[in-house]
């Protein structure tokens, strides 16, 4: 068991926090966990982060999440990511969001997706975009869709292309259309084509 109170936590050295066993980390109450300073939170090892309970993940403050290292973000379990609120997800730095693994991306809930900042969406890499499900793509607002990097659009699968809604297609930028390959262009369903402007159809050669 952890032998200090919440009021004592701020005085614990970061190296001592990092030395806690996963069992000791799991024994921290949500109140104790929230008492961790930014430096203390950043000192948690990836093994400790992987061991966090759902309650602990839910208790992370936005300041704590904002200051997680890329290694810690990659260590977050799928279950813990799904347990986070939209405010928590929204507080994740773009450079941290850009290192999420495809299985972590695929696990993001519809509610969480809706709350993501356009900067976070823009940070999605070509590797990560393969983790986006059809349901997640349909959920993205037009502002979020147009913020997806053209290179990421360029690796959309047939299922992802066909998941795009009319309003989303109508807002695609010229650079996003230009990034589409012949196989992607052929994947457009007949019902989607009317939502593309004449200029976009010309660019895509649909």
């Amino acid at each position: 068991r952890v032998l200090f109170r919440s009021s004592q936590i701020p005085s614990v050295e970061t190296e001592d926090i990092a030395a806690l066993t996963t069992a000791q980390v799991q024994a921290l109450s949500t109140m104790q966990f929230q008492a961790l300073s930014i430096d203390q939170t950043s000192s948690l090892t990836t093994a400790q982060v992987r061991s966090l309970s759902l309650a602990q993940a839910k208790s992370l403050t936005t300041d704590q999440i904002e200051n997680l290292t890329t290694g810690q973000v990659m260590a977050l379990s799928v279950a813990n990511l799904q347990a986070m609120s939209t405010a928590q997800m929204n507080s994740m730095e773009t450079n941290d969001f850009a290192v999420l693994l495809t299985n972590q991306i695929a696990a993001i809930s519809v509610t969480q997706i809706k709350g993501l900042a356009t900067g976070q969406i823009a940070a999605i890499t070509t590797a990560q975009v393969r983790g986006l499900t059809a349901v997640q793509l349909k959920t993205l607002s037009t502002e979020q869709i147009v913020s997806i990097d053209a290179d990421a659009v360029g690796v959309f699968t047939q299922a992802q292309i066909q998941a795009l809604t009319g309003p989303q297609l109508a807002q695609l930028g010229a650079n996003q259309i230009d990034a589409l390959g012949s196989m992607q262009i052929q994947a457009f369903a007949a019902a989607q084509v009317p939502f593309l402007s004449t200029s976009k159809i010309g660019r895509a050669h649909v």
Side-chain angles (χ1 to χ4, degrees), residues 61-106:
T61 68
T62 54
D63 283 341
Q64 287 173 324
I65 292 175
E66 185 178 347
N67 287 278
L68 291 177
T69 67
T70 53
Q72 289 174 320
V73 169
M74 293 174 70
L76 287 169
S77 71
V78 164
N80 281 343
L81 270 177
Q82 290 177 323
M84 290 184 179
S85 67
T86 52
Q88 286 177 305
M89 289 293 294
N90 192 259
S91 67
M92 194 176 292
E93 291 287 315
T94 54
N95 62 309
D96 290 331
F97 194 83
V99 300
L100 288 173
L101 305 174
T102 53
N103 67 316
Q104 290 175 312
I105 290 288

Side-chain angles (χ1 to χ4, degrees), residues 2 4 13 15 23 64 77 123 127 137 144 147 172-173 203-204 206:
V2 177
F4 38 74
E13 297 294 331
E15 57 264 33
Q64 287 173 324
S77 71
L137 275 173
Q144 289 173 317
S147 69
L172 286 179
R203 299 184 78 92
V206 177

